[in-house]
Amino acid sequence: MGYQQYGISPTLVARVKQKMKNKATKERISGMLEGVSKFDLQDTAKVQRLVKSSASVLKENLSQAEEQQIVRFVVAQKIDPNNTFHLIKLWGMFR
């Protein structure tokens, strides 16, 4: 799996996936990501803010190292949230 190459724990991913099944939590995260562009997702500072905000909503206490691993992963994926293919690729990575 791609995210593991960045040092992101499968246990953390499993916890986040479980928490995202809660409709209210999913809506809060979706609201935070509304309007985010591919340029935003290439800006390390913006991605770091999104990671911190998301972790707060999910009540995940991330270490500095975990935050940096997630930020590096997101930036490296060159995600375009308006490109369906990119979203499908991400979906497949975390299934």
Side-chain angles (χ1 to χ4, degrees):
M1 289 199 162
Y3 64 85
Q4 290 175 328
Q5 295 172 356
Y6 291 84
I8 299 169
S9 160
T11 308
L12 171 63
V13 171
R15 279 197 317 267
V16 169
K17 283 171 60 175
Q18 186 63 38
K19 291 177 180 184
M20 288 297 288
K21 289 180 181 179
N22 178 308
K23 187 177 180 182
T25 301
K26 185 177 180 177
E27 286 177 7
R28 281 190 68 193
I29 296 290
S30 293
M32 286 174 27
L33 296 174
E34 195 170 310
V36 171
S37 71
K38 69 178 180 179
F39 301 106
D40 294 332
L41 296 178
Q42 289 296 293
D43 182 333
T44 305
K46 287 183 183 178
V47 173
Q48 186 156 17
R49 280 194 300 274
L50 287 169
V51 168
K52 286 182 183 213
S53 300
S54 298
S56 176
V57 168
L58 295 168
K59 296 178 177 62
E60 282 292 330
N61 195 8
L62 299 177
S63 70
Q64 189 84 18
E66 288 172 318
E67 274 183 25
Q68 289 306 310
Q69 290 163 339
I70 294 168
V71 168
R72 281 197 329 267
F73 171 75
V74 170
V75 170
Q77 299 311 302
K78 297 185 168 120
I79 303 163
D80 179 357
N82 297 315
N83 183 324
T84 305
F85 177 72
H86 287 200
L87 301 178
I88 290 171
K89 178 180 158 194
L90 281 173
W91 177 262
M93 212 180 283
F94 291 99
R95 286 188 79 199

